[in-house]
Amino acid sequence: MQNRQLGMDDYLAMLRRRMKVILSPALLAPLAGFLVSFLFASKYTSQSLVLVEAQKVPEGIVEPMITEDLAERIALLQQQVLTQSRLQPMLVRTGLARPGQSVEDAVERIRGNMTVEPVITDLSQAGAGGKKKPGQSSSVPGFYVNYTAPTPREAQQMCNELTS
């Protein structure tokens, strides 16, 4: 048996023989991906940025009223905002209460779809190693409030309500 040099005609003949094997996955994979995308529901996330401004008057002149760290304050605010007594008027005001859904279920839906994350910057990471005294300003410049919903209107309205 002798090995010979393959030419362009040989490569084209190989391509013609394997055309089904090459084109089938190349055409069917995008089509399958497109069809699978209809199985998943759309989700929209609205995000608000709340910036926290540090005290401008020196501490020697005016004693700071807030002695907690920013992360502790954010956790406390989140607990207060997510109470049923505050969320129920928001649902009525925005008109986003779903028909046939109880108030408790709507409140749990809001709690599950909302997240609060601190803004991470290079400066806040550099200062994370040192201990801070209570009342000392945090290196975190603010936090994000995120809300995810099935419609963009609902996501924007609830994020706006939760932020305000």
Side-chain angles (χ1 to χ4, degrees), residues 91 98 100-107:
L91 285 169
R98 295 189 178 141
Q101 188 179 34
S102 68
V103 175
E104 292 82 18
D105 291 341
V107 168

Short mmCIF file of all heavy atoms in Angstrom, two decimals, residues 91 98 100-107:
data_model
loop_
_atom_site.label_atom_id
_atom_site.label_comp_id
_atom_site.label_asym_id
_atom_site.label_seq_id
_atom_site.Cartn_x
_atom_site.Cartn_y
_atom_site.Cartn_z
N LEU A 91 -48.15 47.42 47.87
CA LEU A 91 -48.88 46.59 46.89
C LEU A 91 -50.17 47.27 46.45
O LEU A 91 -50.51 47.26 45.27
CB LEU A 91 -49.19 45.23 47.49
CG LEU A 91 -48.01 44.27 47.59
CD1 LEU A 91 -48.38 43.06 48.44
CD2 LEU A 91 -47.56 43.83 46.21
N ARG A 98 -51.44 40.47 42.82
CA ARG A 98 -52.00 39.57 41.81
C ARG A 98 -53.36 39.06 42.27
O ARG A 98 -53.54 38.74 43.44
CB ARG A 98 -51.03 38.41 41.58
CG ARG A 98 -49.74 38.91 40.97
CD ARG A 98 -48.86 37.80 40.52
NE ARG A 98 -47.66 38.36 39.91
CZ ARG A 98 -46.45 37.87 40.07
NH1 ARG A 98 -46.26 36.82 40.83
NH2 ARG A 98 -45.43 38.42 39.48
N GLY A 100 -56.31 36.79 43.34
CA GLY A 100 -56.36 35.46 43.92
C GLY A 100 -55.17 35.12 44.80
O GLY A 100 -55.10 34.03 45.34
N GLN A 101 -54.24 36.03 44.97
CA GLN A 101 -53.06 35.78 45.79
C GLN A 101 -53.25 36.46 47.15
O GLN A 101 -53.66 37.61 47.22
CB GLN A 101 -51.80 36.33 45.10
CG GLN A 101 -50.52 35.96 45.79
CD GLN A 101 -49.30 36.51 45.05
OE1 GLN A 101 -49.36 37.58 44.46
NE2 GLN A 101 -48.23 35.77 45.09
N SER A 102 -52.94 35.72 48.21
CA SER A 102 -53.10 36.30 49.54
C SER A 102 -52.00 37.33 49.80
O SER A 102 -50.98 37.36 49.12
CB SER A 102 -53.04 35.20 50.61
OG SER A 102 -51.74 34.66 50.67
N VAL A 103 -52.25 38.17 50.78
CA VAL A 103 -51.29 39.23 51.12
C VAL A 103 -49.97 38.61 51.59
O VAL A 103 -48.89 39.08 51.23
CB VAL A 103 -51.88 40.16 52.20
CG1 VAL A 103 -50.86 41.18 52.66
CG2 VAL A 103 -53.13 40.84 51.69
N GLU A 104 -50.07 37.53 52.38
CA GLU A 104 -48.85 36.87 52.87
C GLU A 104 -48.01 36.33 51.73
O GLU A 104 -46.78 36.44 51.74
CB GLU A 104 -49.21 35.74 53.85
CG GLU A 104 -49.81 36.20 55.16
CD GLU A 104 -51.30 36.50 55.06
OE1 GLU A 104 -51.95 36.03 54.10
OE2 GLU A 104 -51.81 37.22 55.93
N ASP A 105 -48.66 35.74 50.71
CA ASP A 105 -47.93 35.22 49.55
C ASP A 105 -47.27 36.35 48.77
O ASP A 105 -46.13 36.22 48.30
CB ASP A 105 -48.87 34.44 48.63
CG ASP A 105 -49.34 33.13 49.26
OD1 ASP A 105 -48.68 32.66 50.21
OD2 ASP A 105 -50.37 32.59 48.80
N ALA A 106 -47.97 37.47 48.62
CA ALA A 106 -47.41 38.62 47.90
C ALA A 106 -46.22 39.19 48.65
O ALA A 106 -45.20 39.55 48.04
CB ALA A 106 -48.48 39.70 47.71
N VAL A 107 -46.31 39.26 49.97
CA VAL A 107 -45.20 39.77 50.78
C VAL A 107 -44.00 38.84 50.67
O VAL A 107 -42.86 39.29 50.51
CB VAL A 107 -45.65 39.95 52.25
CG1 VAL A 107 -44.47 40.19 53.16
CG2 VAL A 107 -46.64 41.10 52.36
#
